[in-house]
Amino acid sequence: MASSFERLTAKYNGRAVLPAYDVDGSEAPNEKIPFLIPWDDIKVTPVKKDLPLHYTVTHADFANPQESLPTTIDVMVEIVDLPEPEFPAADFPRGLINCDSLRLKAVGSTEHGIFVHIPKSTYLTAGVDVELEWQTYLIDGTTPIAGTDHKETVTVSDDQEASGLNWFVPYEKCLKPTYNPPPE
């Protein structure tokens, strides 16, 4: 199908960034068009000064692509290798989440769930916001159970910097949907 408008394709270090952007005419003059550079393209050259960046403008009806003047950027990727979250053995005696694993959220609370321990690391420092995310899956381990995602942003305290962070995952929302009682 031929397009009646132009297509913008960003080029990162000589490689096309996909998907391209199809101009539909609703754009404002001087509107910035964002392009997300995929990690697969970045990891090819994680550190480079003066990495070339430009874009092309094409049209399905014309075989005359136009190329912007190049600009360069400095790329410095720091790969952070965080320790794996932990599930305290006392809470998971058989290595599984089950009824014996449930704990109250706090003294006096009626909300049950489990605690996930995020070990201390050089990146878990007081005052830093940490985004935590939980997703429950079907027994196949790949199919998410709808509505069981749980996200929270926590600002690390001095105590959490020293000993790690214990994050509460609620039973009702995240764990109960996995329960499949046997037929009566």
Side-chain angles (χ1 to χ4, degrees):
M1 181 173 135
S3 169
S4 60
F5 292 99
E6 287 80 21
R7 172 170 283 178
L8 302 176
T9 305
K11 299 283 181 102
Y12 177 85
N13 202 20
R15 296 179 64 174
V17 175
L18 300 176
Y21 179 83
D22 290 332
V23 177
D24 67 13
S26 67
E27 296 80 11
N30 297 319
E31 181 175 338
K32 292 182 180 181
I33 307 297
F35 282 92
L36 179 66
I37 311 295
W39 172 245
D40 285 343
D41 292 340
I42 296 169
K43 73 181 179 183
V44 171
T45 312
V47 178
K48 182 171 177 140
K49 287 187 87 48
D50 298 326
L51 183 128
L53 193 66
H54 69 279
Y55 66 93
T56 60
V57 180
T58 56
H59 194 286
D61 297 336
F62 303 103
N64 186 16
Q66 301 296 306
E67 189 170 296
S68 72
L69 293 173
T71 190
T72 60
I73 59 173
D74 293 339
V75 179
M76 181 63 173
V77 174
E78 178 182 358
I79 297 174
V80 176
D81 189 15
L82 296 172
E84 292 289 323
E86 298 171 354
F87 298 88
D91 291 352
F92 306 94
R94 295 186 295 275
L96 299 170
I97 297 173
N98 59 31
C99 293
D100 294 335
S101 306
L102 298 178
R103 301 288 179 257
L104 287 173
K105 184 173 184 177
V107 175
S109 171
T110 58
E111 185 177 12
H112 285 85
I114 62 168
F115 284 94
V116 178
H117 181 71
I118 311 301
K120 73 179 207 169
S121 75
T122 56
Y123 299 99
L124 195 64
T125 57
V128 169
D129 287 342
V130 176
E131 292 180 18
L132 302 162
E133 182 174 346
W134 174 278
Q135 176 64 63
T136 307
Y137 294 84
L138 293 176
I139 194 81
D140 66 12
T142 59
T143 307
I145 298 175
T148 62
D149 59 309
H150 179 59
K151 297 178 183 179
E152 187 176 354
T153 300
V154 175
T155 302
V156 178
S157 70
D158 291 332
D159 289 343
Q160 291 166 333
E161 177 180 355
S163 59
L165 186 150
N166 290 316
W167 183 47
F168 183 78
V169 177
Y171 167 75
E172 285 291 325
K173 178 182 180 187
C174 301
L175 305 171
K176 186 176 181 180
T178 65
Y179 180 61
N180 189 10
E184 293 183 23

